[in-house]
Amino acid sequence: MKVLLKKQDKFLPEDKREKFNQQVVHLVLMLKTAEIRRECLEELIRLSIDEHLIFLAAQQMHQELLQYVEKNELDFENKLVAQMCARIMQVCQCYIKVKGENVVMGNRMSQLIEESENPPDIQQLTENLGGWSGNEVVVARILSLLAFRKSVLKFHIKTGKSDLNFDFSISEMLSHFTLYYSHLVKRSNIEIFEKLPLEIILMNKEPGSEKTRIDSRFVSFDRLSRFLFNGIFTGDHSHLDYLLTDASIYPSNLLLLIFTSWLNTCYSDHWRCWENFSQSLFKIVDTMNDIRKNDESLEENLLFDSTSLDDRLLSPSWIDIIELIYKSTNITSALIAVNMIKSLINKFKLNEKEISELNCITQNEDDAVSSEMAVKNADLQSTHSILSSDNDWETLHMDKENLSLLTKQLEDLFLLDMLLKSNLCSSDAEQQDEQILSSGEPKVTSSPSRPNSVSLSFILGSGPGIVSEIVARWAVHHKVPPELLICSPSADANSLDTKEDTVTVADESTKLKGSVFVSLVLFRTSLLSFFSQSCGRKRKRCWFG
Amino acid sequence: MEGSANAVGLADLSDRSTLMEILEHVRQRFPNCLESDILLINCCWELFLRWNAQPLILSNELYLTLAYLEKVSSSVLKHNVSTMGWRLFIQKRFEALCTLIEKMGRKPKDRISRKELEMGTN
């Protein structure tokens, strides 16, 4: 089969391709043992470039194995292979569907970009974004920041259209999923062979030596996330439904992927995409909570609720997401992502409040039944009212505070990032660079790469002087004149004030010094006159004596 | 021609004012890190580093260093940074050159000087 797969060609005519596929499938069906079947599927995934061929081979093998299952003649190992086939089929179907839709989405994306050029109705946008901290000002503030950035940056902001068309093979897609497990997946104690839950590989299989950096522990799935979610950001919500239901990808994995995709693309520049992101995010989280309600026996808490927002209780997915935000160099996307999370928290807190209020009402109804219980409940309610009033005005939960701090830090970083990406004074410098390149002289390699991408983790982890250092590097690179780096006139005025202060202090000190000097001189003269007088007397005495 | 030159001049002026505005915004967010003196000193140091890496190609950087250094308001800071720059980057080259002359007993050839001073062949 390896020899056969080496002969495969992407541009084979239809009839020849069919014949080729039949040959491969025929070979696959000839296999007998579970181990060989599994190895064959793995080889097929590794070598084949045609998603239809992989799907066909997996489907045929799956059907053959299911026949044995019906006869109850299949051993445990082969059942695992049958489940593997089902997963491969699911991933292939997902790939074919998403790939087909991404091609169509180009026009939709350009339409969204055009719509985003117009200013939004902020109230409407805030509502569509799920309240965004219950504050329209936040939305307006970010929009104005973006408008400022757009006016400042000379280079053309990426449209996001290019994100839709990139080469992502089926082998790459399949490599991101766990296809083979050593245990059988069951639903209600019944072995299942279709619509199996798909899990993404988050960690590298081989952790490597101790020298390996911590970053390399995680699999980079930015390409997978871009492939899956580009269509969703352009407004295709059926796409997400498919991923959640038919593809059966774990919602917690989808949650991580949606943030990865958002942080690795430039959709945040267009406000119309924010709505799509928000809707998709809410949908995924709702699905997660539904699953949780249905199956409360799950020990692993991968869900998001306000009780698990403390760092110690934060679910693994959310920790990874916050880490992604910290590491992201796409500051605009990170800023919007944090605000989305904040709005999500608000939503859950509101829901909780409604539930607790409902509980109170039902409690009151019960209280009316017995007077003794009513007295007790009245006491309870009074204490509860104190507690709830506390909750109303004192909502300083750690998670919210942390996210507020994160938002503030990202806003600061947004401005810094804008400064570092601006090239307002650098036209000459870039011309010079071009000249150097054209003249064949070596480019300046001593200076570090253009200091135009910063992340929060980089700034926080590089020591206290890093901001000054990178701004200086930027200033030198763009040949910003030193006059511009000196504080503005307002600051100068402040410094002048301080100078005036120092001048007055100096004057006073000179006055003081002068007065001391005068007094010293007077003291000295008085002393001299005293001595001279006393000496005169002595002399006189001597003279007379 | 004059019109286009004026337009370019105005564009430069607006660019400068925009740049100063952004810098002012960033300064408000990072007031300590972006204090004028600290920023100017960091610029000087960056230029020193660039010059040190490729002293012949980037010979102009040393003059630029002085331009930035001039604007530093604290004379003590100015003196200390220039002394550090001199000792770390410039003095060692003069020392190497003196050692080379003493060793050879005559004016060394250009090629040998470059090699000894680690100034590259370009």
Side-chain angles (χ1 to χ4, degrees), chain A residues 305-307 347-357:
Chain A
D305 61 44
S306 56
T307 56
K347 190 193 165 195
F348 277 93
K349 278 183 179 165
L350 279 174
N351 285 351
E352 270 198 352
K353 208 177 170 184
E354 280 166 14
I355 291 162
S356 64
E357 277 171 5

Side-chain angles (χ1 to χ4, degrees), chain A residues 141 152 154 412 415 419 424-425 446-447 464 468 471-474 476 480-488, chain B residues 15-16 18-20 22-24 26-27 29-30 33-34 36 38-39 42-43 46-47 50 53 67-68 71:
Chain A
R141 186 178 170 76
V152 164
K154 274 183 178 175
D412 296 350
L415 288 166
L419 178 75
L424 293 164
C425 288
S446 60
S447 64
S468 182
V471 172
R473 217 174 286 165
W474 162 83
V476 167
V480 178
E483 299 84 35
L484 293 184
L485 298 178
I486 300 167
C487 285
S488 65
Chain B
D15 278 358
R16 278 189 165 214
T18 317
L19 185 73
M20 284 189 80
I22 306 168
L23 202 60
E24 193 53 44
V26 181
R27 210 167 243 152
R29 304 298 178 122
F30 302 95
C33 295
L34 298 182
S36 303
I38 293 173
L39 197 55
N42 266 305
C43 287
E46 182 62 27
L47 287 165
R50 284 165 72 112
Y68 281 96
K71 301 284 174 190

Side-chain angles (χ1 to χ4, degrees), chain B residues 79-117:
Chain B
H79 175 255
N80 288 348
V81 169
S82 44
T83 312
M84 265 170 70
W86 168 262
R87 282 189 186 163
L88 272 172
F89 305 115
I90 304 166
Q91 194 181 7
K92 67 172 184 183
R93 291 185 193 278
F94 279 103
E95 279 175 359
L97 194 64
C98 288
T99 319
L100 187 68
I101 292 167
E102 275 178 17
K103 205 162 74 178
M104 292 186 77
R106 60 186 166 85
K107 186 188 163 195
K109 282 183 182 174
D110 206 28
R111 184 179 56 82
I112 299 164
S113 306
R114 280 166 191 261
K115 197 182 168 187
E116 283 294 313
L117 298 178

